[in-house]
Amino acid sequence: MITLFTRPNCPLCDEAKMMMELVREDFPFEYEEVNIESDDAIHEKYMLMIPVVEKDGEVAIYGNVGYIELLEALEF
């Protein structure tokens, strides 16, 4: 299970979503996007780290998410 934690009006989050889609073109996978503002506990946990990509419940990458970094973090 891969989860992308984001929030509205976040340029890094928009870039991370674009990178997720680019990686998906080469290595098809499913992921869930979660707005951290929808849950107080998640917001407190990730508010200074977003965007955050979790794989199987563990943080795989956060902050500036590039294509190569994402590939390596998700182990494709």
Side-chain angles (χ1 to χ4, degrees):
M1 168 59 106
I2 298 170
T3 308
L4 173 63
F5 293 93
T6 63
R7 78 161 158 226
N9 303 314
C10 168
L12 279 179
C13 299
D14 294 339
E15 187 175 319
K17 285 187 257 187
M18 184 174 61
M19 289 300 120
M20 293 286 276
E21 292 303 318
L22 287 173
V23 171
R24 281 177 50 153
E25 288 178 10
D26 296 329
F27 302 93
F29 66 95
E30 296 297 318
Y31 74 96
E32 175 184 12
E33 184 178 348
V34 175
N35 177 354
I36 66 167
E37 294 179 353
S38 67
D39 182 291
D40 289 339
I42 293 172
H43 185 264
E44 185 174 330
K45 182 177 180 181
Y46 289 137
M47 68 181 175
L48 298 177
M49 296 172 65
I50 63 161
V52 175
V53 177
E54 273 189 2
K55 182 179 181 187
D56 299 325
E58 299 290 326
V59 174
I61 189 171
Y62 66 93
N64 192 1
V65 177
Y67 183 88
I68 299 298
E69 294 83 5
L70 189 56
L71 277 179
E72 291 173 354
L74 298 178
E75 301 173 340
F76 289 123

